[in-house]
Amino acid sequence: MSKVAVVTGASTGIGRAVALGLLKAGYRVALAARRQDALDETAQMAGANSVNALPMATDVASPDGVNALFAALKAKWGRCDLLFNNAGMGVQGYLLEDLPVEKWLEVVNVNLTGSFLCAQQAFRMMKEQTPQGGRIINNGSISAHTPRPDSVAYTATKHAITGLTKSLILDGRKYNISAGQIDIGNAATNMTARMQKGVKQPNGEMMVEATMDVQNVANAVLFMDSVTPEANVPFLTVKASLMPWEGRG
């Protein structure tokens, strides 16, 4: 029987690429994001594999929404083998001292609380299903290591994702649940299109940054889930070779 996966933020970018990669590999995949039309488009892009897609509009920051997503998953396929916690957002155009608390809370609710809510529901299913267990992969970021200028909300949540990942690894052991984090740098998506025009560097200058094909991320997630159940990839970084990460400062 093919594996069952949940991908959040599956309507565009990294989430869409990973969802399509999983569908192509034979997974049955629940596609979650806020916009139903975009999720339906992701499913259609899978071609013949679209029969294994369950597009479901979901606000990951809503406990009721996440509960409904996993209830639908259980009703359709009865289990969850993989959760890719990918839904996320940032806030641009604000200095730290000018960031409205409402914007801060919006980022925290989606990036951190949303990841927790989905992981919690996945835990509950993976704990009770037969065979027991599964895998949770969180989308961290290069910002989980090193921030960009003017990114306090995004960076803080991505550092927190690392703490969430480590807690999932520890608390999941007794249920055969593994967890890992993929830290992604400059995958070519709509979100990173601005990098072709230049992004702010730590010294205040604007610089065009290199990007990489987003398929590299999909391949990396598939690899992380390909290891046998007694193995785990706790942290993996995949980035554009020429992006200025190692030399940020």
Side-chain angles (χ1 to χ4, degrees), residues 3 78-82 122-135 171-178 228-230:
K3 286 184 177 181
R79 62 182 295 110
C80 178
D81 299 295
L82 171 66
F123 246 60
R124 289 170 176 167
M125 283 189 67
M126 292 173 178
K127 174 183 175 180
E128 299 298 333
Q129 64 197 16
T130 304
Q132 186 187 63
R135 198 177 305 275
D171 294 342
R173 288 176 181 172
K174 56 185 175 291
Y175 306 127
N176 298 311
I177 298 171
S178 297
T228 50
E230 77 278 8

Side-chain angles (χ1 to χ4, degrees), residues 198-237:
V199 291
K200 191 175 182 180
Q201 302 298 306
N203 64 359
E205 294 180 2
M206 300 294 289
M207 186 179 79
V208 174
E209 291 193 11
T211 59
M212 65 174 176
D213 189 335
V214 70
Q215 187 60 41
N216 289 296
V217 180
N219 294 344
V221 171
L222 279 162
F223 163 70
M224 292 176 75
D225 195 47
S226 73
V227 299
T228 50
E230 77 278 8
N232 188 35
V233 181
F235 294 95
L236 184 152
T237 300

Side-chain angles (χ1 to χ4, degrees), residues 1-205:
M1 187 68 70
S2 59
K3 286 184 177 181
V4 176
V6 176
V7 177
T8 67
S11 57
T12 59
I14 288 170
R16 171 174 280 179
V18 171
L20 292 174
L22 292 171
L23 286 164
K24 185 177 180 180
Y27 287 67
R28 293 167 287 172
V29 185
L31 313 174
R34 290 178 178 174
R35 294 193 298 124
Q36 186 68 47
D37 59 336
L39 291 172
D40 291 339
E41 186 177 78
T42 298
Q44 292 165 9
M45 291 171 69
N49 295 315
S50 62
V51 296
N52 290 324
L54 173 63
M56 186 167 175
T58 307
D59 178 0
V60 297
S62 162
D64 290 342
V66 173
N67 291 348
L69 169 65
F70 280 85
L73 180 77
K74 187 172 184 179
K76 187 171 181 66
W77 290 315
R79 62 182 295 110
C80 178
D81 299 295
L82 171 66
L83 165 64
F84 180 44
N85 256 333
N86 168 71
M89 63 171 293
V91 178
Q92 297 177 19
Y94 293 96
L95 298 174
L96 184 149
E97 61 269 29
D98 297 328
L99 180 67
V101 68
E102 294 80 11
K103 293 292 185 182
W104 165 272
L105 291 173
E106 186 178 3
V107 175
V108 170
N109 286 340
V110 172
N111 295 8
L112 182 56
T113 303
S115 293
F116 161 72
L117 291 172
C118 290
Q120 185 180 56
Q121 287 299 318
F123 246 60
R124 289 170 176 167
M125 283 189 67
M126 292 173 178
K127 174 183 175 180
E128 299 298 333
Q129 64 197 16
T130 304
Q132 186 187 63
R135 198 177 305 275
I136 298 170
I137 300 175
N138 294 323
N139 184 345
S141 171
I142 295 298
S143 293
H145 303 270
T146 306
R148 288 185 178 278
D150 309 328
S151 67
V152 62
Y154 184 82
T155 296
T157 58
K158 291 304 183 179
H159 275 66
I161 287 295
T162 300
L164 175 65
T165 300
K166 291 179 179 180
S167 289
L168 294 175
I169 290 171
L170 182 60
D171 294 342
R173 288 176 181 172
K174 56 185 175 291
Y175 306 127
N176 298 311
I177 298 171
S178 297
Q181 178 173 316
I182 182 168
D183 295 321
I184 303 161
N186 289 15
T189 65
N190 291 339
M191 185 177 291
T192 59
R194 64 190 178 92
M195 293 178 179
Q196 303 306 309
K197 300 178 181 179
V199 291
K200 191 175 182 180
Q201 302 298 306
N203 64 359
E205 294 180 2

